[in-house]
Amino acid sequence: MIAILAALAVLAPGPQNAAAPSEAAWTWTLYGDDTPVVLANEVPDTANLRTTLECEPGSSVARLTLYGGEGATGMARVTAGEASAVSEARTGRGGALKLALRTDHPVFAAFGVDGRLGVTVGEQRRAVEVPAAHLAKLRRFAELCSG
């Protein structure tokens, strides 16, 4: 009974659920023990996601999902450092922007160096930033994904 009440309290609308998570609550987490491998920019123990990178180990293909914006369909220009690539973008559930990147492409290598990735589809521009403190997770993600 207590477990049911606790679950209802978490799901019930209220001040604790109405406010957006503080910036300090967001972190990058690497889930590498399961298939697929996932690197998530999230508020842990919640459904709040900004970005996910997923791959099947050894596939060399990372699936990037950007949440919290308007989805888009078409060709995406992806940039990191001096490198760029083109990938087909599509709209996912809830308006998420989804695309795939090769982990052995120079754009992904440049992303691993400075943690900055830009995605442009039409007039829509989105950015992914992995702080220096979490770059080792991004590099480990690329290692686990690469074939």
Side-chain angles (χ1 to χ4, degrees):
M1 181 66 160
I2 292 174
I4 293 171
L5 291 174
L8 289 174
V10 169
L11 295 174
Q16 74 276 14
N17 292 351
S22 72
E23 196 60 35
W26 290 91
T27 191
W28 284 90
T29 307
L30 178 63
Y31 300 97
D33 296 335
D34 298 318
T35 302
V37 176
V38 178
L39 180 63
N41 186 211
E42 64 180 350
V43 176
D45 300 324
T46 71
N48 293 316
L49 291 170
R50 283 186 182 157
T51 307
T52 59
L53 287 156
E54 295 181 53
C55 75
E56 299 301 321
S59 69
S60 296
V61 176
R63 296 177 305 275
L64 171 66
T65 304
L66 301 169
Y67 300 92
E70 294 180 26
T73 301
M75 297 310 290
R77 179 175 165 80
V78 183
T79 58
E82 297 296 316
S84 66
V86 176
S87 181
E88 184 176 356
R90 61 186 171 82
T91 300
R93 192 175 348 167
L97 178 65
K98 300 178 81 89
L99 58 104
L101 296 170
R102 295 223 21 115
T103 58
D104 55 2
H105 191 281
V107 78
F108 207 91
F111 180 37
V113 170
D114 71 4
R116 294 173 194 221
L117 185 77
V119 178
T120 304
V121 181
E123 297 298 315
Q124 181 183 0
R125 293 189 177 117
R126 305 280 300 270
V128 177
E129 292 191 30
V130 179
H134 297 282
L135 282 176
K137 295 173 189 170
L138 176 60
R139 294 178 187 131
R140 182 66 180 142
F141 172 84
E143 282 177 25
L144 292 169
C145 296
S146 296

